[in-house]
C-alpha cells in the first residue's frame, strides 16, 4: 500500500485540536496536550465489514484499518485474538449471571496485552525510519519491546525501575536488550526517558511513539466485541495505570459502531486500581476535576503509575458512560488472583488480581447488575509476579515413595 | 518573593531562549502573572481561558508537584525554585 493511500490523516491535539503531521511526536507544542491519531473514517467505512474482518488471520492486524500505520504491518503477526472465556464459576462466586474474562495472560509472545501496543508501535517506528526501540516500563512493556524488537531485527534499550519482580527482569534479559535499571519509581524512569529521548533518536514506544502505540489497545476492545458476536458488553472492568487501555477500549467500541460493525454501545466503563495507587478511582469517587498524583505503594507494580498520562481521559470516559471505579488493597489483590485461578483456571499477575478484586467489590456494592453482560479484563500472566502469591498458596505435600506414606498424608490433609 | 523559574524548551521562544528566569510573587499564581508581564503570551500557553493552569502543565516548587501543595495558591519564599514541565507521557 502506498503512503498516499494511508488511512491516517495526521495527529491531532486532544486538548486544543491543533493538527500535526504523523511523525514521532506526542505532545502539542502549544498547550502541552497529548496527540492522538486522526483517521480518515469516510474511507475506512468503505473498506471494512464484519465479513472482511472475520475472514482475516487471527491477530490484531485483522483490524488493520483502525491501526495507525501507512503500509503493511511488519511486527506482531501472531499477537492478539486471545480467548474470551465464559466465566460461569467466577460469575457464581461474584453473583453475576453473564460474566466473561478476556484473557491476555496468554497473549503472544510475552503474555500480556503490551504485545498488542508494541506490535503497532514497532510497525510504525519502522515506517518512520527508527532502528532502535526503547521504553520506560513497569515490566510487561519491557518484555514486549525486548521480544518483538528482537524478532523485528531492531536494537533495543529498555528502562525499568530497579525494584521489579524477577520474572519480569528475566523475561526481558533473555531477549538480550540493553536493560537499564533506574533507582526510582516508574514516574521517575519515565521522566528520565523523556529527557533521554531529546538526545537519542530512538523510538520510545510509550513516549514519542505513544500516539501510535496507544491505538494498539483498541484491539483488546475490538476482539471483545467480535467475540461477543459483534456487540459491546454492558459493563467492562479495566485495570488502570496510565488509564490509556480504558480510554482506548471505549474508543474502539465507538469506532466499531460508527463504522456500522456493532449496535450502539451502551457499555459502562469501570476502572480497577490498587488502593496504594488509585488517582483515577479517587477522582471518580470524589467527582473531582483534578487527577491528584500519588506516590505509589502497592504490590501491583504494573499499575504503579502515580501521575497517569491519560487519567483525565479515563475519568471522562467513566463519567460519560455512567461507570465507576474501585480501589483494592494488597490483600484483596492476592485473593483476587487466587479466586480467578480457583474458579476459572487462569493464573494472572497482580494487575489481574486488582481487576478481579475490583469487580468483586463493584458487584457486592450493586454497581455491576446481576443479569447483564460483564467483561473482566485480564491483561497479564501470573508466572511473572510469583513473589506476590508464593507464600499465600500453601505448599506441596512431601512424602516418601510408599503407599502408606501417601494414605497417611491424605488423612492428615483431610483433617 | 524572588524565585527562579525553569522554562521548558517549547516556551523558550517567549523568554528569549532563556531556560531559567527570575520572577517575583507571593504565590505560584502571582509568579505566573509576573511572567506574563515579563514575557507577554506565556500565560496563554500555561493557562486556560479561565486563567487556571492547563491540566497537562505540571508545576513543581522545589521538586514538589503543586498538586500535592496548594495548586496556584501555593505560597513561595525567597530563593524557591519553580519548574514548569510539560505533560509526561507514558504507560498504557
Amino acid at each position: 500500500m502506498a503512503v498516499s493511500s494511508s488511512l491516517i490523516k495526521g495527529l491531532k491535539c486532544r486538548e486544543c485540536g491543533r493538527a500535526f503531521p504523523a511523525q514521532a511526536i506526542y505532545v502539542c507544542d502549544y498547550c502541552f496536550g497529548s496527540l492522538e491519531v486522526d483517521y480518515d473514517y469516510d474511507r475506512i467505512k468503505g473498506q471494512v465489514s464484519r465479513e472482511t474482518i472475520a475472514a482475516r488471520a487471527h491477530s490484531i492486524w485483522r483490524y488493520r484499518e483502525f491501526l495507525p500505520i501507512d503500509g503493511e504491518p511488519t511486527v506482531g503477526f501472531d499477537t492478539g485474538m486471545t480467548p474470551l472465556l465464559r466465566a460461569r464459576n467466577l460469575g457464581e462466586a461474584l453473583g453475576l449471571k453473564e460474566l466473561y474474562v478476556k484473557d491476555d495472560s496468554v497473549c503472544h509472545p510475552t503474555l500480556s496485552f503490551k504485545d498488542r501496543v508494541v506490535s503497532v508501535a514497532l510497525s510504525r517506528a519502522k515506517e518512520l525510519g527508527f532502528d532502535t526501540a526503547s521504553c520506560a516500563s513497569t515490566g510487561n512493556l519491557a518484555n514486549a519491546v525486548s521480544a518483538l524488537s528482537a524478532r523485528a531485527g531492531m536494537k533495543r534499550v529498555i528502562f525499568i525501575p530497579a525494584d521489579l519482580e524477577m520474572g519480569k527482569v528475566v523475561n526481558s534479559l533473555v531477549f538480550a536488550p540493553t536493560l537499564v535499571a533506574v533507582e526510582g519509581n516508574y514516574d521517575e524512569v519515565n521522566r528520565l526517558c523523556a529527557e533521554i529521548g531529546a538526545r537519542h533518536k530512538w523510538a520510545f514506544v510509550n513516549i514519542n511513539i505513544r500516539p501510535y502505540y496507544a491505538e494498539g489497545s483498541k484491539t483488546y476492545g475490538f476482539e471483545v466485541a467480535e467475540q461477543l458476536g459483534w456487540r459491546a458488553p454492558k459493563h467492562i472492568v479495566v485495570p488502570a495505570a496510565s488509564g490509556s487501555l480504558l480510554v482506548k477500549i471505549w474508543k474502539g467500541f465507538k469506532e466499531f459502531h460508527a463504522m456500522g460493525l456493532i449496535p450502539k454501545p451502551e457499555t459502562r466503563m469501570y476502572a480497577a486500581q490498587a488502593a496504594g495507587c488509585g488517582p483515577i478511582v479517587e477522582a471518580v469517587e470524589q467527582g473531582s476535576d483534578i487527577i491528584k498524583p500519588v506516590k505509589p505503594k502497592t504490590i501491583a507494580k504494573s499499575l504503579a503509575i502515580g501521575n497517569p498520562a491519560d487519567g483525565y481521559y479515563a475519568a471522562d470516559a467513566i463519567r460519560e458512560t455512567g461507570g465507576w471505579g474501585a480501589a483494592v488493597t494488597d490483600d484483596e489483590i492476592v485473593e483476587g488472583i487466587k479466586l480467578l485461578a480457583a474458579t476459572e483456571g487462569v493464573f494472572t499477575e497482580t494487575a489481574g488480581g486488582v481487576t478481579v478484586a475490583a469487580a468483586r467489590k463493584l458487584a457486592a456494592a450493586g454497581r455491576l447488575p446481576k443479569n447483564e453482560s460483564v467483561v473482566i479484563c485480564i491483561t497479564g500472566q501470573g508466572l511473572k509476579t510469583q513473589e506476590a502469591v508464593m507464600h499465600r498458596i500453601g505448599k506441596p505435600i512431601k512424602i516418601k515413595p510408599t503407599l502408606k506414606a501417601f494414605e497417611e498424608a491424605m488423612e492428615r490433609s483431610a483433617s | 518573593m524572588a524565585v527562579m523559574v525553569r522554562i521548558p524548551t517549547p516556551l523558550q521562544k517567549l523568554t528569549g531562549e532563556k531556560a531559567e528566569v527570575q520572577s517575583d510573587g507571593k504565590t505560584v499564581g502571582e509568579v505566573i502573572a509576573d511572567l506574563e508581564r515579563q514575557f507577554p503570551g506565556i500565560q496563554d500557553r500555561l493557562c486556560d481561558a479561565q486563567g487556571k493552569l492547563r491540566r497537562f502543565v505540571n508545576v513543581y516548587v522545589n521538586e514538589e508537584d503543586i498538586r500535592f501543595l496548594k495548586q496556584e495558591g501555593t505560597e513561595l519564599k525567597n530563593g524557591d525554585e519553580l519548574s514548569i514541565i510539560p505533560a509526561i507521557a507514558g504507560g498504557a
Side-chain angles (χ1 to χ4, degrees), chain B residues 60-79:
Chain B
Y60 298 80
V61 173
N62 303 330
E63 312 295 320
E64 184 71 317
D65 193 319
I66 62 165
R67 286 169 294 193
F68 288 115
L69 305 169
K70 290 190 209 152
Q71 306 274 4
E72 287 97 327
T74 302
E75 287 141 21
L76 303 171
K77 47 185 197 318
N78 267 325

Side-chain angles (χ1 to χ4, degrees), chain A residues 263-287:
Chain A
K264 188 171 171 40
E266 292 174 349
T267 313
R268 294 183 170 190
M269 308 296 301
Y270 301 82
Q273 294 200 293
C277 184
I280 297 171
V281 169
E282 191 189 314
V284 168
E285 284 178 342
Q286 300 187 352

Side-chain angles (χ1 to χ4, degrees), chain A residues 15 26 29-32 114 186 190-191 206 210 213 242 244-245 290 292-293 295 305 307 309 312-313 316, chain B residues 8 10-11 44-46 54-58 60 63-65 67-68 71 85-92:
Chain A
E15 292 290 298
Y26 66 104
D29 59 17
Y30 184 78
C31 78
F32 305 128
K114 295 290 187 186
Y186 173 81
N190 202 26
R191 199 171 141 183
N206 63 316
R210 192 168 194 264
Y213 155 94
S242 77
S244 175
L245 177 62
I290 296 170
K292 203 173 161 190
K295 309 216 160 122
I305 296 182
N307 188 8
Y312 288 109
Y313 301 117
D316 288 347
Chain B
L11 293 182
D44 194 36
R45 305 287 297 276
L46 297 174
R54 293 180 187 276
R55 53 191 193 170
F56 290 99
V57 174
N58 301 291
Y60 298 80
E63 312 295 320
E64 184 71 317
D65 193 319
R67 286 169 294 193
F68 288 115
Q71 306 274 4
I85 297 189
I88 300 285

